[in-house]
Structures are given as C-alpha cells and as structure tokens.
Amino acid sequence: MKKISFSGLLLTVALFSSGQDINTIINPREVERIEKTLSSNEMQGRNAFTPAINKAADFIAAEFKAIGLQPLKNGNGYRQEFTIVTPKFVNTSATVDDKTVDNKNVVVVSAQANVKITDQSGFEKVYIKPGANLFQEAYKYVGKDHNYLVVVDTSFSKNFVRLSGFKRNLFVTPYTTVFLLSATDPKQYTISATHELIESKLANVVGMLPGKSKSAEMVVF
C-alpha cells in the first residue's frame, strides 16, 4: 500500500517512515523546529504566488527527503506543479433571439482567451429559477468537464454581476460556462467574450512511502 503525505503532517509521516516510537518523533523540540521555520518572518506568511511559498515548499521537500519519502514519478521532485489562470475581462457581446443583450447580463467563465458560442455549439442549457440559491446553483456548473449555458432568471438581477467572481483562479481547461440573465428561454444566440489571461504557477508538495502488500492502492494523509 502507498501512503501519500501532504505538507501538514510531516511528523505523522515520519512515524510511518521510521517505525520509531511516537515519543521519539513527536516531541516539543521537533514540533517547535518545524513550526518556527514555517511561521518565521522569512516565510512571509507563505502567501501564494510569492517567492516565500517556494521557500516553504523547499523546506517541506527537504523534510520529506530526510525521513525517506519518495517523490511521485509524475512530478518535479516532490512538487506536483499546476497552473492557475486568472482571466482579465476585455469585452463581451451577445445576441439572443435577434436582440442585443447588455454585456452586464452575460458572464463568461472560461480559461480560454477568446470564446464564441452559438445555439449550435452543443452547450447544455440549464436554468437557475426564481427562489433558488443563486450561488449554490451556479457552483454546480463551474469547473466541470462540460460546457454550459446557464440561463439565470431576472429575479437575480441585483446579484448577477457577482457571478464574475467565479473567474478568479481557474484551472486550465477547455470547458466554458456562460451565465445569461434572461426573462425568457433563449432559442437562438451568439455570445462572444475576450479575456486577457494571467497565468500563475503553483505546486503541492507530496511524498510517498511505498507499502509491501497492496502496491496499487493509496492512502492519503
């Protein structure tokens, strides 16, 4: 069995790795060393997208190596790297049933710089109806492996613009979600959007302790 450890549980992983008694690993001196290092001024709060988060990752990776954990094969050492995209709005336009739609009534959530869809594009059309929880319902259609046109009832006009918050920190994906504020069920439509994409690199720090019996299974800590 493979045991996967994330950065928050260095001491727990040390127990699995070394086989030592818990009292020889978890002791005030060792806890203080790790906590003081990660909370030091040098780490600057370990804020994402800053050099300080890389310092913290380097420290954690070194701890993983010191206790004998292995890196995963599909990573960069102990780092599992990924990209986050933040779209910066440039413009949007929409025509629905031969009528021009105000761009404030359209929110396009996409990691693509240029999006253009029509009623022939194969987007699944779904609805957020009066009385629903706007943000709970909207969340169901964002970040999924599917393209959606979400028709939002005009009773949500006051809060509709807040759906643009879903555009913060997107994973890179070819799928798009379009929110359209409308009092009617759109039959024909053309919607276009342009964003400037700002890419940021992040990584999780992961260490692995292979087991002996069920090598195809993993336990995540």
Side-chain angles (χ1 to χ4, degrees), residues 1-58:
M1 182 177 294
K2 298 177 182 178
K3 294 182 172 64
I4 304 295
S5 170
F6 291 88
S7 59
L9 291 172
L10 290 173
L11 295 177
T12 301
V13 178
L15 291 173
F16 282 104
S17 179
S18 66
Q20 298 180 41
D21 178 76
I22 188 171
N23 293 315
T24 67
I25 299 294
I26 301 181
N27 58 73
R29 178 182 298 177
E30 187 68 359
V31 171
E32 184 177 37
R33 179 184 70 83
I34 292 174
E35 288 187 348
K36 281 191 172 182
T37 300
L38 291 175
S39 63
S40 67
N41 290 336
E42 183 181 1
M43 296 299 181
Q44 300 176 335
R46 305 182 304 282
N47 288 330
F49 312 120
T50 70
I53 195 67
N54 292 323
K55 288 183 179 180
D58 289 342

Side-chain angles (χ1 to χ4, degrees), residues 1-4 72 208 214-221:
M1 182 177 294
K2 298 177 182 178
K3 294 182 172 64
I4 304 295
L72 297 186
M208 179 176 68
K214 299 181 180 180
S215 59
E217 296 185 11
M218 293 187 179
V219 176
V220 178
F221 291 90

Side-chain angles (χ1 to χ4, degrees), residues 117-188:
I117 72 166
T118 72
D119 48 279
Q120 302 298 312
S121 298
F123 276 53
E124 181 178 353
K125 186 166 56 175
V126 295
Y127 305 87
I128 299 180
K129 298 181 178 181
N133 184 305
L134 174 61
F135 298 101
Q136 283 186 3
E137 291 299 307
Y139 183 77
K140 296 178 181 178
Y141 306 114
V142 175
K144 305 301 187 292
D145 293 341
H146 200 73
N147 292 313
Y148 288 105
L149 173 69
V150 185
V151 182
V152 180
D153 186 80
T154 51
S155 60
F156 298 106
S157 298
K158 184 177 180 180
N159 290 316
F160 180 80
V161 68
R162 293 174 59 194
L163 294 176
S164 61
F166 284 112
K167 293 196 284 187
R168 291 193 294 269
N169 298 337
L170 301 175
F171 289 107
V172 177
T173 172
Y175 299 100
T176 294
T177 302
V178 178
F179 294 100
L180 174 67
L181 189 69
S182 177
T184 61
D185 185 3
K187 305 301 182 186
Q188 296 180 324

